Amino acid sequence: MKVVTAAQMAAIEQAADRSGVTLDTLMENAGLAVAQAARDDLGGVAGARVVILVGPGNNGADGLVVARHLRRWGAEVACCLLTRRPEHDPKLDLAREYGVQILVSPDGDTLQRLLRRSRMVIDAILGTGRSRPLDGPVRDAMLTLQRIRPQPGHPELVEGPPLLLALDLPTGLNPDTGKTDPACPRFDTTLALGYPKIGLLRFPGVEHAGRLRVLDIGIPPGLPEEQSIDVEMLTSQWVASQLPPRNLDSHKGTYGHALVVAGSRHYVGAAWLASQASVRTGAGLTTLASPESVYPIAAAKGVEAIHLPLPEDDSGRIAPSAVSVIRQSERRFTAVLSGCGMGWSEGATEFLRLLLRETQDKLAGLPLLIDADGLNNLSAIENWPSQVNGPLVLTPHPGEMSTLTGLPVAEIQADREGVAREWAGRWGATFVLKGAHTVIASPGEPVRIAPFANPGLATGGTGDVLSGVIVSLLAQGLPPSVAAAAGVYLHAAAGQSVTDRIGQTGLAASDLLDSLPPTIAALHRATPDSAHLPS
């Protein structure tokens, strides 16, 4: 699914109009789709009080269409016109004909009483058409919405605080940057029309948008203005279409052999988590190559993996000589992961340097994923990009990205998509820039964004699981850009499943392991109608 800026969305709408789908048709489609979504959220609208805040432009017109349909279905609908509407306004006239109550510039007390007594408030004020600071009646209305968020001691609330729903974009949220006006409230749901706007996937906009849903408004597929957009949001339907099939006549060799080089004396769990994630994501074989002191613990805990003990230094980290053990292994690997829990030292850096050299020998041409401490060690290797012979996947969090590139973390976070795209092209690698709404960038591919922001995953070991998921998909033959994107989605969807069950506090990385197979099974069962976003 394409992710657009405000200018790109305007160009797509104009192209749709030229192709025969008029702007009025898009408006009618949008209003009906939003009304249906509002009805779903309310569990039926007959008799429900709904307030729609209406602005001056097309977003306000969409809101008036919503009002007409909700009133037609039996809702008690009031539209508050906060600014002047056009003198000739067919949408407003139709809303009046259907019995929608129209309030023009209501005073603050009247608006507050009306909002508090409603079951739902729909923001249809500005949409993508304005990004300057809020002022006047619009600002006052947004501040009123802030005040009616759930608070104790409001006896005038009839059925609890109203649901807040933003039509296309919360008023006060910049569609391109995600920056928010101080008056912008936090909504329960944002219904993006046609395509999600990039600001809805950037902070702090994410926190104000609430649950994001994307509604089809009838834009013709395949418009050149759409096809040229190089930022996409991952959907379950796309991920399901990319996952390796499981054929009836297959065997373990069909699904590849992942080599996981991980762990140190102080980070035993990282090695086990990464290797188990590889197993749980379907690799036919997984070999865990870990330091000798880690091997007996990991082997006792994880019996499915093949174990390859490696020499270690006095601190319990992998020694440079471990590369010769890997070289002498008779196993034929199809993808390699290195870095999880390996520690950061001169010896670990030398090991990684020698391992890169193996991509021109024993491991020639194999996909190589470097994560965690491996990234810090990688940054200490002079001219390392020239030493890689094969597909490379790097999975940094913002701090590790800063170490690799020398950019300040704040600069990285201000333009995650642009930074990932630039360095992927510069180094010829696939980047997974981790964090809320993880970004995946690969040379010649669209930048892809995962539609998940889950604080439950902010705990040690979840990154090791992610690396194991991705290397498993690499081992099964997926191209790096696809393996990285699908792996990020699987990992995040499994995490969402766990937090839906136990909450966001107390999730352990190992909880994800059992959630991976049912998550994959659910994706294989996904239908087009249910495939847009995680619930």
Side-chain angles (χ1 to χ4, degrees):
M1 180 183 292
K2 301 292 187 178
V3 179
V4 301
T5 64
Q8 288 169 335
M9 188 66 210
I12 289 172
E13 289 175 339
Q14 292 164 9
D17 188 62
R18 291 192 299 270
S19 75
V21 182
T22 66
L23 295 178
D24 186 73
T25 299
L26 293 178
M27 194 177 296
E28 288 291 328
N29 292 345
L32 177 58
V34 170
Q36 290 168 336
R39 180 178 60 187
D40 292 344
D41 282 356
L42 288 170
V45 296
R49 291 193 179 102
V50 179
V51 174
I52 302 178
L53 304 177
V54 177
N58 288 344
N59 197 250
D62 292 340
L64 291 168
V65 178
V66 175
R68 184 210 317 157
H69 288 295
L70 292 179
R71 178 63 188 144
R72 182 167 60 89
W73 298 333
E76 298 295 327
V77 185
C79 284
C80 298
L81 276 57
L82 301 179
T83 61
R84 183 184 297 273
R85 292 286 304 165
E87 185 173 343
H88 176 62
D89 196 342
K91 305 302 182 192
L92 179 58
D93 294 340
L94 276 173
R96 280 198 175 102
E97 287 182 20
Y98 274 82
V100 174
Q101 182 184 9
I102 305 297
L103 290 82
V104 179
S105 301
D107 63 63
D109 289 341
T110 299
L111 180 61
Q112 182 160 299
R113 284 195 300 272
L114 191 64
L115 296 178
R116 287 195 186 281
R117 292 171 179 169
S118 63
R119 285 186 58 196
M120 174 179 282
V121 178
I122 299 176
D123 168 16
I125 304 175
L126 297 180
T128 61
R130 177 173 133 169
S131 57
R132 65 179 183 270
L134 302 180
D135 55 16
V138 171
R139 178 178 180 275
D140 293 341
M142 292 297 98
L143 290 174
T144 300
L145 281 183
Q146 287 186 359
R147 288 193 293 271
I148 67 170
R149 297 306 291 159
Q151 296 179 31
H154 288 303
E156 68 271 32
L157 294 177
V158 177
E159 297 177 283
L163 292 170
L164 299 190
L165 188 154
L167 197 160
D168 201 29
L169 197 78
T171 294
L173 193 157
N174 187 296
D176 296 339
T177 68
K179 293 181 180 179
T180 55
D181 189 277
C184 182
R186 296 184 180 226
F187 286 79
D188 297 298
T189 302
T190 294
L191 301 176
L193 304 180
Y195 306 92
K197 286 65 190 177
I198 187 65
L200 294 169
L201 300 174
R202 290 178 171 171
F203 284 85
V206 172
E207 298 173 319
H208 290 257
R211 183 172 64 112
L212 175 61
R213 293 181 60 187
V214 182
L215 303 181
D216 181 2
I217 61 172
I219 294 173
L223 294 172
E225 289 78 4
E226 178 206 38
Q227 295 301 307
S228 64
I229 295 170
D230 64 353
V231 179
E232 298 179 350
M233 184 170 66
L234 294 173
T235 67
S236 59
Q237 184 180 4
W238 182 87
V239 173
S241 72
Q242 303 299 317
L243 294 178
R246 309 294 286 193
N247 300 319
L248 290 177
D249 63 345
S250 59
H251 52 84
K252 61 188 177 185
T254 305
Y255 303 112
H257 190 163
L259 171 63
V260 176
V261 186
S264 60
R265 185 179 299 162
H266 297 291
Y267 296 102
V268 176
W272 179 75
L273 288 166
S275 61
Q276 280 297 111
S278 174
V279 171
R280 286 299 201 175
T281 310
L285 293 168
T286 299
T287 289
L288 173 56
S290 59
E292 291 170 338
S293 60
V294 172
Y295 154 67
I297 304 171
K301 190 169 178 59
V303 296
E304 295 87 357
I306 301 165
H307 290 272
L308 181 63
L310 300 177
E312 62 184 44
D313 61 20
D314 292 340
S315 64
R317 298 186 180 95
I318 296 173
S321 59
V323 168
S324 64
V325 176
I326 295 172
R327 184 187 305 123
Q328 293 164 16
S329 171
E330 296 180 357
R331 300 287 178 179
R332 292 189 176 182
F333 307 111
T334 55
V336 182
L337 161 63
S338 181
C340 301
M342 73 184 297
W344 191 5
S345 67
E346 289 184 6
T349 298
E350 177 63 10
F351 164 79
L352 187 58
R353 188 185 68 80
L354 295 172
L355 187 68
L356 291 180
R357 184 177 296 175
E358 288 301 309
T359 63
Q360 302 175 25
D361 188 11
K362 168 76 175 179
L363 308 177
L366 295 187
L368 172 62
L369 189 159
I370 302 179
D371 181 35
D373 290 330
L375 296 168
N376 295 321
N377 287 292
L378 187 68
S379 67
I381 300 174
E382 185 176 355
N383 196 28
W384 64 262
S386 67
Q387 301 177 46
V388 179
N389 180 32
L392 179 65
V393 180
L394 305 176
T395 57
H397 57 57
E400 292 161 344
M401 190 71 172
S402 178
T403 299
L404 280 172
T405 64
L407 298 175
V409 170
E411 184 175 337
I412 292 168
Q413 292 294 80
D415 185 14
R416 287 167 56 82
E417 300 83 21
V419 169
R421 180 190 291 112
E422 177 186 350
W423 290 89
R426 185 178 298 192
W427 287 339
T430 294
F431 268 91
V432 175
L433 182 53
K434 295 188 288 193
H437 296 300
T438 292
V439 173
I440 304 98
S442 190
E445 296 277 345
V447 173
R448 298 183 172 110
I449 305 173
F452 295 89
N454 184 355
L457 293 175
T459 186
T462 57
D464 304 315
V465 174
L466 173 60
S467 293
V469 171
I470 296 174
V471 78
S472 181
L473 296 175
L474 289 169
Q476 293 173 66
L478 293 190
S481 62
V482 175
V488 165
Y489 193 100
L490 288 178
H491 175 266
Q496 189 64 53
S497 175
V498 174
T499 56
D500 287 346
R501 188 173 70 252
I502 69 172
Q504 294 178 341
T505 302
L507 180 150
S510 57
D511 293 332
L512 301 175
L513 299 175
D514 286 341
S515 186
L516 284 168
T519 296
I520 295 169
L523 282 173
H524 281 305
R525 293 192 299 268
T527 63
D529 290 339
S530 66
H532 289 301
L533 291 170
S535 60

